Amino acid sequence: MREVNSSRGDIAIVGRDTPYTGWLDVVRLHLSVDGAAPFVRHAVRLWHAVSVLPYDPERRVALVIETPRAPLLHMRHPGLVEAIAGSIDADAAPEAVARAEAMEEAGVRLTDLEHVGHVWTTPGATTERIDYFLGRYTAADRVAAGGGLAHEDEHITVHERPMADLWALTRDPDGIDGKLMLLLHALRLREPGLFA
């Protein structure tokens, strides 16, 4: 099937193969512009996902996680503070997945979610796209330990951190992941008083 991107002339996928499949897939695309000789581009096929930042506006704290990441270990990086996240199964609603991930990873029950946006994270390399949410909670909503599902080997550590401390981490690009960076900026735009 011919696929066209009209924003840059007549770009067609003229061939496709998958040299690696596993937890993620690597797809090799052969592209042609206006019928010229094909050239190759690669895409890492990832999933549609959600990320959520649970925050307690009364106590001015938020729930974040730490978990071992193979790419960071490979780079000898000590690790990042991250926002809660998880992939969406084919028919699931992003809001439902955000609530389920908040419970699995941080043991917090979220009812009110605010959708921040839908972002393609790295379109030059991956197919990953993430729906971002902010979720209010209270101390009474922390109903479980969290930590992730044992059979998924996530080894998650949950932290409840003051908003001011988390904001200070935005000045250290080696301290937090991009999901948390985006969500903290979104929250600060909406409720700047939480960070005072």
Side-chain angles (χ1 to χ4, degrees):
M1 173 182 240
R2 190 164 178 276
E3 300 173 49
V4 176
N5 177 346
S6 60
S7 66
R8 294 286 295 168
D10 190 4
I11 301 178
I13 297 174
V14 296
R16 173 192 327 242
D17 63 287
T18 307
Y20 176 81
T21 60
W23 183 72
L24 50 77
D25 299 337
V26 177
V27 179
R28 182 168 37 220
L29 300 172
H30 302 266
L31 306 175
S32 175
V33 178
D34 295 328
F39 57 96
V40 173
R41 292 290 184 266
H42 293 83
V44 177
R45 188 163 44 212
L46 294 175
W47 39 81
H48 186 184
V50 298
S51 185
V52 60
L53 179 63
Y55 70 100
D56 181 334
E58 295 300 317
R59 295 182 298 132
R60 296 183 183 184
V61 296
L63 290 171
V64 293
I65 65 164
E66 288 184 78
T67 186
R69 297 293 191 191
L72 295 177
L73 293 169
H74 172 69
M75 297 300 293
R76 295 185 174 90
H77 189 285
L80 299 171
V81 177
E82 301 185 32
I84 295 163
S87 59
I88 300 174
D89 292 332
D91 298 327
E95 294 84 356
V97 176
R99 288 185 181 95
E101 290 294 332
M103 181 59 71
E104 287 175 16
E105 294 190 4
V108 66
R109 179 181 50 225
L110 297 179
T111 52
D112 296 327
L113 289 177
E114 180 180 356
H115 189 243
V116 172
H118 177 93
V119 178
W120 292 84
T121 54
T122 315
T126 79
T127 62
E128 182 181 59
R129 57 213 185 279
I130 299 177
D131 275 284
Y132 288 88
F133 295 93
L134 297 169
R136 289 176 177 250
Y137 76 97
T138 67
D141 293 317
R142 294 199 66 192
V143 295
L149 301 176
H151 71 274
E152 292 183 354
D153 290 318
E154 293 179 297
H155 308 284
I156 291 171
T157 303
V158 183
H159 302 284
E160 189 172 66
R161 303 273 300 266
M163 298 303 303
D165 290 357
L166 289 173
W167 186 252
L169 290 176
T170 65
R171 297 184 203 98
D172 174 12
D174 256 5
I176 64 175
D177 79 321
K179 301 182 306 298
L180 183 54
M181 179 77 79
L182 185 150
L183 286 165
L184 287 170
H185 278 271
L187 183 56
R188 186 167 176 139
L189 284 172
R190 288 161 172 77
E191 300 195 46
L194 294 179
F195 296 82

